[in-house]
């Protein structure tokens, strides 16, 4: 036994675990069931990502040159969907834990670069009308271009500006502002806001507000909950409904807005690195924000590929801070007029 052990030790010292096993793992050698259970996605989806990201992941850098795009993508998917840099994950594809971390960084950067391609509002008239029709089919709410809400993702305490990331639960987090369509496809995702900011402040400062106030769709609106101010382009529920029309409006609003809550649950269930069950994201706020955005891009790509079954709530999750706010009723008379007209025209 002494000779084989000595040979094995020399082999490890000379080549390292990654070099010895890197070329042994081939996608075609394993089943779809294995790929889904280990990396969260089937073979054809992974092949698509290799085609999409391959050029970016093949950049001739001294560190990553030896690791193929396919291997980098598997490493990143393994982390996104499990939330762990477990040694067995690296063993499965033949790379070290340190290499796993570099692969996640490379794939995350490549996905973030492509976020504008996959996360965007439709612009052509036919697609916009289809968007409204899909929402109307849910609960009879007309003119809806998307539903908006915020969700918190736990991160480690940053070295600087520590208090700005402490949310109302006393946990460090990023407050992420997202908009989705009736199928849960993300139309906007801003993942960088500090956890101490309330939802209404995030929206007030967000690029989304600038978009809707200067560029987008004057003939429709987003739906937001009572943590936001009523605006001409953002319909919120009535604080104290009194008439049958107001009750019907609030019920339709709630049923439609629920889509984004289901979308948040689906993203957390699919990408366990975000759900808090494996602990917080162990990165700076900037890198954590990029990981969240990368998962959002993958979420949209997965829907594009038909992987769109609504997930049940994740077993573990980041608790959402209880928002302590008074009803955000707008002083914008035009916004109030638009909501009143909506009540009279569609819910009376």
């Amino acid at each position: 036994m002494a000779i084989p052990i000595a040979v094995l030790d020399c082999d490890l010292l000379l080549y390292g675990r990654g070099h010895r096993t890197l070329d042994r793992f081939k996608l075609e050698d394993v089943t779809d069931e294995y790929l889904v259970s280990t990396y969260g996605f089937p073979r054809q989806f992974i092949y698509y990502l290799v085609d999409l990201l391959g050029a970016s992941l093949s950049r001739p850098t001294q560190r990553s040159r030896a690791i193929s795009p396919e291997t980098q993508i598997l490493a990143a998917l393994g982390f996104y969907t499990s939330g762990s840099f477990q040694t067995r994950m690296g063993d499965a594809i033949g790379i070290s834990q340190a290499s796993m971390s570099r692969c996640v960084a490379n794939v995350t950067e490549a996905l973030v670069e492509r976020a504008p391609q996959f996360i965007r509002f439709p612009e052509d008239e036919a697609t916009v009308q289809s968007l409204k029709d899909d929402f109307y089919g849910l609960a009879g709410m007309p003119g809806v271009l998307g539903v908006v809400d915020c969700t918190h993702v736990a991160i480690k305490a940053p070295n600087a500006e520590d208090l700005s990331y402490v949310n109302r639960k006393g946990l460090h987090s990023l407050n992420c502002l997202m908009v989705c369509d009736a199928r849960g496809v993300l139309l906007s995702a801003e993942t960088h806001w500090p956890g101490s900011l309330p939802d209404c402040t995030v929206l007030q400062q967000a690029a989304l507000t600038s978009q809707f106030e200067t560029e987008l769709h004057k003939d429709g609106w987003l739906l937001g909950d009572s943590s936001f101010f009523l605006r001409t382009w953002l319909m919120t529920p009535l604080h104290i409904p009194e008439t049958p029309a107001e009750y019907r409006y609030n019920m339709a609003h709630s049923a439609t807005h629920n889509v984004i809550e289901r979308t948040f649950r689906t993203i957390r269930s699919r990408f366990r690195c975000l759900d808090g069950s494996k602990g917080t994201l162990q990165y700076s706020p900037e890198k954590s924000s990029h990981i969240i955005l990368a998962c959002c891009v993958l979420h949209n790509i997965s829907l594009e590929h038909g992987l769109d079954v609504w997930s049940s709530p994740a077993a573990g999750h980041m608790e959402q801070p209880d928002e302590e706010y008074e009803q955000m009723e707008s002083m914008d008379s035009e916004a109030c007029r638009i909501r009143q007209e909506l009540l009279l025209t569609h819910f009376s």
Side-chain angles (χ1 to χ4, degrees), residues 45 115 117-120 179-181 183-188 263 267 270-271 294-306:
F45 184 87
Q117 177 184 345
F118 292 100
I119 303 175
R120 65 190 189 279
V179 180
C180 74
D181 71 9
R183 280 206 314 130
V185 175
L186 294 173
L187 307 175
S188 176
T263 299
I267 292 172
R270 178 169 279 158
F271 303 107
C295 290
C296 290
V297 173
L298 287 172
H299 168 76
N300 275 11
I301 297 174
S302 69
L303 294 182
E304 203 174 86
H305 282 72

Side-chain angles (χ1 to χ4, degrees), residues 2 43 74 119 121 133 138 152 202 281 283 286 291-292 299:
R43 186 186 325 276
L74 289 172
I119 303 175
F121 282 92
D133 292 343
L138 293 179
H152 286 254
V202 168
L281 285 173
Y283 298 92
E286 181 181 8
I291 287 173
I292 300 166
H299 168 76

Side-chain angles (χ1 to χ4, degrees), residues 25 38-39 73 81 111 169 180 197 271 315 332 334-335:
F25 184 90
T38 307
Y39 304 104
I73 287 167
T81 58
L111 287 168
K169 291 284 188 180
C180 74
L197 293 181
F271 303 107
D332 185 336
E334 179 64 11

Side-chain angles (χ1 to χ4, degrees), residues 252-319:
H253 188 292
S254 177
T256 308
H257 188 265
N258 185 54
V259 172
I260 190 122
E261 298 300 332
R262 296 169 68 193
T263 299
F264 288 156
R265 290 198 298 269
T266 297
I267 292 172
R268 291 177 184 280
S269 179
R270 178 169 279 158
F271 303 107
R272 302 301 294 273
C273 68
L274 307 181
D275 77 355
S277 65
K278 300 291 185 180
T280 62
L281 285 173
Q282 296 297 302
Y283 298 92
S284 68
E286 181 181 8
K287 289 183 178 179
S288 295
S289 169
H290 286 177
I291 287 173
I292 300 166
L293 185 56
C295 290
C296 290
V297 173
L298 287 172
H299 168 76
N300 275 11
I301 297 174
S302 69
L303 294 182
E304 203 174 86
H305 282 72
L307 306 176
D308 57 356
V309 177
W310 289 108
S311 299
S312 58
H317 64 280
M318 164 67 178
E319 279 191 58

Side-chain angles (χ1 to χ4, degrees), residues 64-78:
S64 63
R65 184 181 302 156
I67 302 179
S68 69
E70 180 179 292
T71 300
Q72 292 183 64
I73 287 167
L74 289 172
L77 292 179

